[in-house]
Amino acid sequence: MKIAITGASGQIGSRLVPVLRADGHEVIRLVRRTPRTGDEHRWDPQHRRMDPSVLVDVDAVVNLAGASITPRPWTRTYEERLLTSRVDSTATISEALAAAAAADPGRPRILLSGSGISYYGDTADRVVTEDDPQGAGFMARMCAAWEDAAAPAGAAGVRVAFLRTGLVIAGGAPLMKVLGLVFRLGLGGRIGSGQQYWPWIALADEIGAIRHLLATDVAGPVNLTAPDPVTNTEFTRTLGRVLRRPTPLPVPEFPLVLALRDFGRCNVVGGQRALPTQLQQSGYTFTETSLEGALRTAVRRG
């Protein structure tokens, strides 16, 4: 396949590119700056500009572009940046794919487009699959708008799958950096009640799932989460064990919700007990189903 990647310099994209090349695929990277190598091509998602000819001979696009979500105080301006960066990037690539499909209608095309498990909102301890509806709050609305922006590609006959990704366990990930520092200082502990579910996935399985989806006929939403979501209490105890640090101090909910707004309510003091139903039904086999194993790998590589 010839595959185009957006967000190729990010945590997932930077790992995905060499893996796909090792699989024998030709990979091009879409960049916002002036291209420096032959495999780079310029696009301008902020102004929704892209030359569709770049995608005419492309078989698949993996769309991972969007401003990073980092543990920081949230403002309305920051929320708007998160939303517009995702919607603009997805709309730009989808419209270019639709134009490429019109220019060469005989080529089957695939769009694997980023999304988040926050689509479901805070679901407490209720199990959710891809059949569940959109939840409430900014994070859920952002994910829905993000997915809706891919409509032009779908209307043009492109197979579109939405990567509803959970907490990626990887060395160097912003949340892992923050949690690692807090725990190493001996200040780690459950957050709020600790009963909220944190749906996680090892980086190796995030990459493996994308490779799998390129080769299957799955379309629509796909939960990229490990088969065994854990509560925050379980997550905390496991990370403490991996780092050999005690976890005695519970963290109150109020300051986190005050600082992180809907992200805090939905993804920190809240969560999703999400299952990867579509992935497993389509035949994907996870390489890492143990949270402790995933955390040990992340700490070792962090």
Side-chain angles (χ1 to χ4, degrees), residues 12 16 19-20 62 112 159 161 163-165 201-216 218 222-226 276 278-280 282-287:
I12 298 170
L16 179 63
V19 169
L20 291 179
V62 183
L112 305 185
R159 175 170 69 86
L163 310 176
R164 290 183 182 169
T165 299
I201 185 169
L203 178 59
D205 280 312
E206 179 80 8
I207 301 300
I210 291 172
R211 294 169 68 201
H212 174 76
L213 292 170
L214 286 169
T216 66
V218 175
V222 184
N223 292 344
L224 267 58
T225 60
Q278 290 287 358
L279 265 183
Q280 292 186 305
S282 65
Y284 181 71
T285 301
F286 282 81
T287 61

Side-chain angles (χ1 to χ4, degrees), residues 67-83 85-86 118 137-143 146 174-175 255-268:
S68 297
I69 295 179
T70 56
R72 50 162 285 179
W74 281 39
T75 63
R76 294 288 184 191
T77 300
Y78 182 54
E79 286 185 346
E80 183 64 20
R81 180 186 170 206
L82 293 176
L83 174 63
S85 68
R86 284 160 174 73
S118 303
F138 167 77
M139 294 297 294
R141 292 193 301 273
M142 181 183 75
C143 290
W146 194 359
L175 183 59
L256 290 171
V257 173
L258 184 65
L260 300 177
R261 296 164 61 95
D262 188 68
F263 177 73
R265 284 187 293 268
C266 181
N267 298 83
V268 181

Side-chain angles (χ1 to χ4, degrees), residues 124-125 195-199 229-232 234 267 270-274:
D125 63 353
Q195 297 308 300
Q196 68 275 29
Y197 276 83
W198 278 16
V230 300
T231 64
N232 173 258
E234 293 174 276
N267 298 83
Q272 303 80 28
R273 192 176 182 179

Side-chain angles (χ1 to χ4, degrees), residues 29-218:
R29 297 174 292 167
L30 303 183
V31 298
R32 293 176 172 86
R33 52 172 170 73
T34 301
R36 297 170 183 162
T37 61
D39 70 328
E40 293 184 341
H41 297 268
R42 181 77 176 266
W43 74 320
D44 183 7
Q46 183 178 358
H47 299 98
R48 298 200 178 185
R49 291 198 293 257
M50 181 177 176
D51 181 359
S53 67
V54 172
L55 301 180
V56 167
D57 63 344
V58 163
D59 302 294
V61 175
V62 183
N63 176 38
L64 303 173
S68 297
I69 295 179
T70 56
R72 50 162 285 179
W74 281 39
T75 63
R76 294 288 184 191
T77 300
Y78 182 54
E79 286 185 346
E80 183 64 20
R81 180 186 170 206
L82 293 176
L83 174 63
T84 57
S85 68
R86 284 160 174 73
V87 170
D88 289 347
S89 296
T90 304
T92 301
I93 202 70
S94 297
E95 290 164 3
L97 263 175
D104 181 10
R107 179 186 295 271
R109 289 179 170 83
I110 304 164
L111 171 60
L112 305 185
S113 194
S115 185
I117 212 70
S118 303
Y119 176 91
Y120 306 107
D122 176 15
T123 64
D125 63 353
R126 176 173 59 88
V127 171
V128 293
T129 70
E130 292 87 351
D131 292 331
D132 281 88
Q134 176 190 336
F138 167 77
M139 294 297 294
R141 292 193 301 273
M142 181 183 75
C143 290
W146 194 359
E147 295 182 8
D148 287 346
V158 176
R159 175 170 69 86
V160 181
F162 301 109
L163 310 176
R164 290 183 182 169
T165 299
L167 172 62
V168 178
I169 306 298
L175 183 59
M176 291 302 299
K177 286 182 178 179
V178 172
L179 289 176
L181 175 61
V182 169
F183 275 68
R184 286 185 175 96
L185 291 174
L187 302 176
R190 64 172 171 79
I191 296 174
S193 70
Q195 297 308 300
Q196 68 275 29
Y197 276 83
W198 278 16
W200 62 275
I201 185 169
L203 178 59
D205 280 312
E206 179 80 8
I207 301 300
I210 291 172
R211 294 169 68 201
H212 174 76
L213 292 170
L214 286 169
T216 66
D217 61 356
V218 175

